[in-house]
Amino acid sequence: MMGPSSTSGLPVLPLPFPLILLPTARLTFPIGRELAERLQTVLHDSDSRQPIIAAVPVPPPTDSLNATNHPPPLSSRTGGPVHGTAARIVHLVPIRTLATSVSPREPYILSLHGLNRVRLAQPLDLDSQGANSLSERPVHHPPADQAPSREAVEAFKDAALRLLDRLAKDSVQSQRKDDWLRVSVKVEDVPDHRSAWMADVLVAAINCDYTDKLAFLATATVEDRLRRATELFVKQTSISEVSQKIASAVDESLSRQQKEYFLRQQLAAIQRELQNLYTTTNAGPGGPSGSPGLKIGGSGSEPDDDDQADADDLADLKKKIEALEAGSEERKVGVREWRRLKRIPQGSVENGVIRTYLEWLTSLPWPSLTLSSSVDQEIIKDPGFIAKARAQLDADHFGLDQIKRRLIEYLAVLRLRAMTQATSQGSVSQQPMLQLAVRPSQCPDQNYARNGVKGPVLLFVGPPGTGKTSLGQSIAKALGRPFQRLSLGGVRDEAEIRGHRRTYVASGPGMIVQALRKAGRIDPVILLQVDKVGQSNFHGDPAAALLEVLDPEQNHAFNDHYINVPVDLSRVLFICTSNTLGSISAPLLDRCEVIELSGYTYDEKIHIARRYLLPKQLTANGLSESLLTLTDDALLRIATLYTREAGVRGLERALSTVARFKAVEWVNHLDSIAGTERSDTIPKGWQSVVKEEDVERILGVPRWDGEEREREEKIGVVYGLVVTGTGEGGIMPVESTAVPGTGRLKLTGSLGDVIKESGEIALSWVKAHAFNLGITTGKGIDPLKVPDLIDIHLHLPAGAQKKDGPSAGVAMTCALVSLLTGVTISKDMAMTGEITLRGRVTPVGGIRMKVLGAHRAKVQKIVLPWANKRDVEREVALEVQQQMQFHFVQTIDEALEAAFGKGVLGWKREVMLMEGRL
C-alpha cells in the first residue's frame, strides 16, 4: 500500500469498454502485440517481479451508449477519465497454438490484480493517447481508510446479506449456492474497519451495470463507498426478485398449458375408444349389451360429448356466416374472423374471444336475415290499421286525447309513406329498362336505400306514472313490432352505448346492439330513458353518444366499437321518455319531438282505477270482481285524500292495500264457515262493497286531509302555483311577516337567484304604489320605515327543496300588499305569473301541470296571465275548466283586484300605466 495522500508516477493502461477493474478483484483480458511489448519493457525495467500500473477505464463512444441504452458516465461529461485502480501485473503470457510456437499475430493474455483506488492528476486525453499506449503519468493515492460509522456498516451488511440470500436461492448449482452462503458468513463476521474492503469484493463479484461500477470506483471516502454499495445491493436484490417472479409465472403458465393439453388429448382418446366400443356393441347381432343407462358418445350422451357439441356449434356458426348477404360488410368481417379462428389453437384465449365475437356478429338481425320489413309493410298497409291502432290505444289508456291524436297522426303518416313507397316500387318494376339505365354513381348507399319507413324520434315528457312507458308498448303492439326498454339511469360510460373495444378484457357490445339481438328484428320499438343519463366525465359523454343513435341522418350506419361493422338503426322506432326537459342536453333535445304528458284529472283517475287498476289488483291478490267493489265516492276519496300525484302509481298502491285487506277478510270468512256446505255463490254476510266511510278503516288517516284543514285565510299569506322537479303541479304558500329591523327584505326557503329577483321587484312595485294602495299617508314615503322601522321576511316553506323560476312575482306582490294593508286573500285562490317594474304580468310555463295541481288541491279560483289563456283552453280538460274559475290578468292592478276583490283595497286614484321608452 502507498502512503497516505501521496503522489507518484505510474504507467497508465486504458481499459476499453466495458472492462473495469475494482480493488481486490482480478481481471484477465487479451491485448495486442504492441501493448504486450510495452508491458514487457515495464516488467524488465521494474525491480519487482510484479510491477504496478494504473488501470483506467475508458468510457465508450456516444453512439455505443445510445445503442446499449447506458447513461454516459461522469468522466465522459467532464473531459476524460480520471479514476482508476492501481493494479499489479500478475501474468502476461502469449496464446500458444498447437505447434507450441508463438505466432506474431496472436494476442497476449494479461492478468491484473486490483490494489487500491488512484486518481490521475490530469484527465486522460483519449485523442492523443491511443488504446495501446502505456505512458507514465502522475497519480494521486487516496489517504488511508478511516473507520466508517456504525449506521453505514449496519445498512451495508443488511443489504449485502439480503442480496447474497437471494443469489443463493436463485442458484441452480449446489456448489454456487454454498459459495454464496460462505460469503454471507464472512460478511457477518467482517469487522467495521474492513467493511469497505468487503464492499469492493462484493461489488466486483456481482453482475451490475457498467455505470454503477464506474460510480462506485469514483467514490473516495469510506462512507460514500458503503452508501454506494448499499444502493447497488438493494437495486440488484429488487431486479433479482422481479426476474425470479416473472420466470416463475412464465414456467407456471407453460406448465399449466402443457398439462391441460395432455389431459385433453387423453380425454379425447378415451372418449373415442368408448364411442368405438359402444358402436361395435350396437352393431352386434344381439343389439346393445350391458346397462342401458350407460350411453357414452354418439347421440346418447349429448351433454358429455364436448367435442361433438363443439363441432356442431362451429358448424352452426359457419352456416350463419354463409347466410349473410354476399358482399356485405358483415359477411366480409365474419369470413375474415372465421379464418383467424381456424388458425388459432382451441385452448388459446384468443380463440374464445374471436368465437364470442362471431356469435354476436351472426346473432344480430342484419337486413339480409330478416323478413321484418315485409311483415311491417303488410301490417301498415292493412285498411284497418289506423282503426286497430286507435282501439289499441283506447284499450290501454284512458284519456290523453291529445297524445293519442298525435300518435294516430304519426301512424297515419307511416301508412301513407309505406303506400307511396310500395306504389313507386311497383311503377319501377314495370319498367325494367328504365331501372337498368340508372348509373351506379346515382344510386344512394345500399344500406341507406334498404331503409324502411322512418319517422321522428318521439320524446314523452311528464311526471312519473303518467303512462309514458305503456304508450310505447301500445305503439309496438299496434305496429306488430317487438318492444325493448333501455334504462339509461346512472350510465356514465360512453362505452355502455357504443360498446367496448375488443382490446379490453370482457368487452362486449353496447346496450343498443344488445337490444337488437334480444328483439330479433331490425325494426323494433326501443324506449330510452334519457333524462337520467350521467354527465360528461373522463369516460366520455353518454349523451353525446346518443346523438348518433337518434339522428335519422346518421343512424343508418351506427358504429358499435365492439361489432366494428356499421349497424342500420334507421328502421328502429326510438321513443324517449323523461320527467323533465332541464336535464337533457340541447343537441339531444333537438333530435326529438316533444310530447308532454301533464297528468290526470280526478275523473280520469277514477275511470282508470275502474277499468285498469282495480281488475289488475283483484287478479294479483286472488280475488274476483264479485268479492270486491268500490263505489265512486270511495274511489274519489282515495284519489283526493290518500294520493296527490300527476300519475296513478300511488292510486294503484292504495287499491292494492284495499285488495289485500279484503283478501284477509275473505280468508277469515272462509275459515269461519269451514264446517258448512260450500257453493259457488257468495255466502251470506259477506260485504263486497267498499264505501266511502270504509276507506279510513282500511287505509288509515288521510294523508292530505291535514293540509286542506291547515289552509286558512291569513294576513300576508297567499298560495302560488308550482311545478315540482318530477313534473307534477301543486300549490305552495307564500308567507310574509313584518319584524322590527332596518327596512330590508329577507328571503328564505332555498330560493334561487331568479325567484329572489322576483321578490325584489315585487317590493319595489309595492313601495312605488304604497300611497295609491292606502299603505302610506303621502307619496315618497317608504312603508318599511314610516311610521315604524321594520323588515319584511318573505318565506316559501319546504326549505329542503330548491326553488327557482320566473313565476312567483304575482304571488309575492299579493302577499306584500296583504301584509301591509291587512287584507286577507281567500284560501281557495291560487295564482301564478311574473311581473315587471312597469306593472305588466308576463306569461309562464307549465300551465297544465299547475292547473291540475290546483285542481287536486281543491282550489276553486286561479289567477293566470292573459297570455296563458290559450294554454288553458287547449291543454286543460273541459271538466276541469267547468269546475274552476279562471281570472286572466294583464297588469298587477287587475291581479290585485282579482285576488282581493273589486273595491276592497280602495285605490285613492286611478293609476295610469306609463311605459318608458329609450
Side-chain angles (χ1 to χ4, degrees), residues 349-410:
V349 178
E350 187 68 17
N351 184 283
V353 173
I354 298 178
R355 187 165 178 174
T356 303
Y357 172 77
L358 287 176
E359 290 176 355
W360 272 105
L361 182 68
T362 55
S363 62
L364 292 181
W366 300 103
S368 58
L369 300 178
T370 178
L371 300 177
S372 59
S373 299
S374 59
V375 176
D376 191 20
Q377 296 291 331
E378 295 297 331
I379 294 176
I380 294 177
K381 290 187 292 184
D382 185 7
F385 170 70
I386 298 299
K388 293 179 181 179
R390 184 181 290 107
Q392 183 69 47
L393 292 175
D394 292 338
D396 295 341
H397 301 85
F398 181 84
L400 304 178
D401 296 333
Q402 295 182 358
I403 309 300
K404 292 179 182 179
R405 184 173 64 251
R406 178 62 187 90
L407 294 179
I408 292 298
E409 293 174 357
Y410 172 75

Side-chain angles (χ1 to χ4, degrees), residues 95-103 106:
I95 299 179
R96 298 185 177 273
T97 61
L98 295 177
T100 66
S101 61
V102 179
S103 174
E106 292 294 330

Side-chain angles (χ1 to χ4, degrees), residues 123-188:
L124 186 63
D125 189 2
L126 301 177
D127 296 333
S128 60
Q129 183 169 354
N132 296 325
S133 63
L134 191 68
S135 60
E136 184 171 345
R137 291 174 175 269
V139 296
H140 299 291
H141 296 270
D145 294 340
Q146 301 294 329
S149 62
R150 186 62 187 173
E151 292 79 5
V153 174
E154 292 295 335
F156 161 73
K157 288 186 176 182
D158 184 63
L161 291 176
R162 286 202 303 270
L163 176 60
L164 293 173
D165 182 66
R166 171 53 59 183
L167 293 176
K169 291 181 180 179
D170 297 343
S171 299
V172 179
Q173 300 178 358
S174 59
Q175 181 64 32
R176 188 69 173 174
K177 182 177 181 179
D178 295 339
D179 293 341
W180 289 121
L181 294 177
R182 284 195 294 268
V183 175
S184 301
V185 175
K186 292 183 179 180
V187 171
E188 293 179 351

Side-chain angles (χ1 to χ4, degrees), residues 271 274-275 278-279 282 288-305:
Q271 289 178 349
L274 291 174
Q275 185 175 3
Y278 177 75
T279 305
N282 286 339
S289 63
S291 175
L294 180 62
K295 296 181 179 180
I296 303 177
S299 61
S301 180
E302 183 178 355
D304 296 332
D305 194 357

Side-chain angles (χ1 to χ4, degrees), residues 79-380:
V82 295
H83 298 283
T85 303
R88 191 183 302 276
I89 301 177
V90 180
H91 295 293
L92 179 61
V93 295
I95 299 179
R96 298 185 177 273
T97 61
L98 295 177
T100 66
S101 61
V102 179
S103 174
R105 296 183 180 181
E106 292 294 330
Y108 285 72
I109 294 298
L110 174 64
S111 295
L112 301 177
H113 177 71
L115 300 178
N116 61 341
R117 289 171 173 77
V118 294
R119 190 175 187 278
L120 301 182
Q122 296 292 333
L124 186 63
D125 189 2
L126 301 177
D127 296 333
S128 60
Q129 183 169 354
N132 296 325
S133 63
L134 191 68
S135 60
E136 184 171 345
R137 291 174 175 269
V139 296
H140 299 291
H141 296 270
D145 294 340
Q146 301 294 329
S149 62
R150 186 62 187 173
E151 292 79 5
V153 174
E154 292 295 335
F156 161 73
K157 288 186 176 182
D158 184 63
L161 291 176
R162 286 202 303 270
L163 176 60
L164 293 173
D165 182 66
R166 171 53 59 183
L167 293 176
K169 291 181 180 179
D170 297 343
S171 299
V172 179
Q173 300 178 358
S174 59
Q175 181 64 32
R176 188 69 173 174
K177 182 177 181 179
D178 295 339
D179 293 341
W180 289 121
L181 294 177
R182 284 195 294 268
V183 175
S184 301
V185 175
K186 292 183 179 180
V187 171
E188 293 179 351
D189 299 337
V190 68
D192 293 351
H193 66 278
R194 296 281 292 172
S195 59
W197 170 81
M198 181 57 70
D200 292 336
V201 173
L202 293 179
V203 172
I206 64 176
N207 185 19
C208 57
D209 293 339
Y210 176 83
T211 54
D212 294 336
K213 285 189 175 182
L214 190 62
F216 179 74
L217 177 64
T219 56
T221 62
V222 177
E223 291 285 342
D224 293 342
R225 199 179 309 166
L226 292 180
R227 181 179 57 82
R228 285 278 187 179
T230 303
E231 294 176 355
L232 279 177
F233 296 161
V234 172
K235 178 181 178 181
Q236 289 300 118
T237 303
S238 302
I239 294 175
S240 179
E241 291 177 352
V242 173
S243 301
Q244 182 63 25
K245 185 180 298 183
I246 295 174
S248 300
V250 172
D251 293 341
E252 182 180 358
S253 177
L254 292 176
S255 300
R256 185 170 59 253
Q257 292 181 1
Q258 293 174 358
K259 183 178 180 180
E260 181 182 1
Y261 174 76
F262 288 125
L263 290 177
R264 288 187 179 275
Q265 292 296 324
Q266 293 176 4
L267 180 61
I270 293 173
Q271 289 178 349
R272 285 195 299 270
E273 293 297 330
L274 291 174
Q275 185 175 3
N276 294 334
L277 178 62
Y278 177 75
T279 305
T280 305
T281 305
N282 286 339
S289 63
S291 175
L294 180 62
K295 296 181 179 180
I296 303 177
S299 61
S301 180
E302 183 178 355
D304 296 332
D305 194 357
D306 295 337
D307 292 342
Q308 184 62 31
D310 187 72
D312 294 342
D313 293 342
L314 289 178
D316 293 341
L317 194 61
K318 184 178 180 180
K319 291 180 181 178
K320 292 180 180 179
I321 296 176
E322 293 175 348
L324 296 174
E325 183 180 355
S328 60
E329 185 68 21
E330 56 269 17
R331 182 185 176 94
K332 295 178 182 178
V333 175
V335 171
R336 183 175 68 248
E337 294 297 327
W338 173 262
R339 293 174 179 172
R340 289 185 57 201
L341 179 65
K342 301 303 291 183
R343 292 195 300 265
I344 296 177
Q346 184 176 0
S348 174
V349 178
E350 187 68 17
N351 184 283
V353 173
I354 298 178
R355 187 165 178 174
T356 303
Y357 172 77
L358 287 176
E359 290 176 355
W360 272 105
L361 182 68
T362 55
S363 62
L364 292 181
W366 300 103
S368 58
L369 300 178
T370 178
L371 300 177
S372 59
S373 299
S374 59
V375 176
D376 191 20
Q377 296 291 331
E378 295 297 331
I379 294 176
I380 294 177

Side-chain angles (χ1 to χ4, degrees), residues 309-611:
D310 187 72
D312 294 342
D313 293 342
L314 289 178
D316 293 341
L317 194 61
K318 184 178 180 180
K319 291 180 181 178
K320 292 180 180 179
I321 296 176
E322 293 175 348
L324 296 174
E325 183 180 355
S328 60
E329 185 68 21
E330 56 269 17
R331 182 185 176 94
K332 295 178 182 178
V333 175
V335 171
R336 183 175 68 248
E337 294 297 327
W338 173 262
R339 293 174 179 172
R340 289 185 57 201
L341 179 65
K342 301 303 291 183
R343 292 195 300 265
I344 296 177
Q346 184 176 0
S348 174
V349 178
E350 187 68 17
N351 184 283
V353 173
I354 298 178
R355 187 165 178 174
T356 303
Y357 172 77
L358 287 176
E359 290 176 355
W360 272 105
L361 182 68
T362 55
S363 62
L364 292 181
W366 300 103
S368 58
L369 300 178
T370 178
L371 300 177
S372 59
S373 299
S374 59
V375 176
D376 191 20
Q377 296 291 331
E378 295 297 331
I379 294 176
I380 294 177
K381 290 187 292 184
D382 185 7
F385 170 70
I386 298 299
K388 293 179 181 179
R390 184 181 290 107
Q392 183 69 47
L393 292 175
D394 292 338
D396 295 341
H397 301 85
F398 181 84
L400 304 178
D401 296 333
Q402 295 182 358
I403 309 300
K404 292 179 182 179
R405 184 173 64 251
R406 178 62 187 90
L407 294 179
I408 292 298
E409 293 174 357
Y410 172 75
L411 297 178
V413 171
L414 286 183
R415 185 169 186 270
L416 290 177
R417 293 178 62 180
M419 296 174 63
T420 303
Q421 183 177 3
T423 303
S424 61
Q425 291 178 355
S427 61
V428 172
S429 61
Q430 295 175 2
Q431 299 177 1
M433 297 304 296
L434 180 62
Q435 186 177 2
L436 294 175
V438 180
R439 296 182 179 179
S441 60
Q442 297 175 352
C443 294
D445 183 25
Q446 294 182 358
N447 291 333
Y448 192 76
R450 294 184 303 198
N451 294 342
V453 179
K454 300 183 296 181
V457 179
L458 303 179
L459 173 58
F460 295 153
V461 180
T466 52
K468 299 183 293 295
T469 302
S470 59
L471 280 173
Q473 294 175 348
S474 299
I475 295 176
K477 292 179 182 178
L479 293 173
R481 300 184 183 182
F483 178 79
Q484 292 293 323
R485 177 182 178 184
L486 299 182
S487 178
L488 303 180
V491 174
R492 301 181 178 274
D493 192 354
E494 179 184 351
E496 294 293 334
I497 298 174
R498 289 185 176 273
H500 299 267
R501 300 188 184 276
R502 293 173 58 190
T503 54
Y504 297 102
V505 178
S507 60
M511 302 176 69
I512 304 298
V513 174
Q514 293 180 21
L516 286 178
R517 180 182 181 180
K518 293 178 182 178
R521 286 179 51 174
I522 199 174
D523 56 347
V525 178
I526 298 181
L527 187 136
L528 306 173
Q529 296 179 354
V530 297
D531 60 331
K532 301 177 179 63
V533 181
Q535 301 297 324
S536 177
N537 52 54
F538 62 94
H539 291 296
D541 190 359
L546 285 175
L547 297 180
E548 183 181 359
V549 175
L550 300 179
D551 193 351
E553 300 299 329
Q554 304 181 37
N555 59 9
H556 66 279
F558 173 71
N559 182 28
D560 186 272
H561 291 163
Y562 181 81
I563 301 298
N564 203 22
V565 176
V567 180
D568 187 6
L569 299 180
S570 60
R571 304 186 190 181
V572 179
L573 176 57
F574 289 103
I575 299 177
C576 303
T577 63
S578 174
N579 295 130
T580 58
L581 296 177
S583 58
I584 304 177
S585 61
L588 182 60
L589 189 62
D590 183 64
R591 267 74 173 178
C592 304
E593 179 179 349
V594 180
I595 300 178
E596 295 186 358
L597 289 81
S598 302
Y600 300 103
T601 63
Y602 285 130
D603 292 338
E604 292 175 343
K605 287 186 176 182
I606 292 175
H607 285 85
I608 292 173
R610 184 75 67 188
R611 294 176 54 180

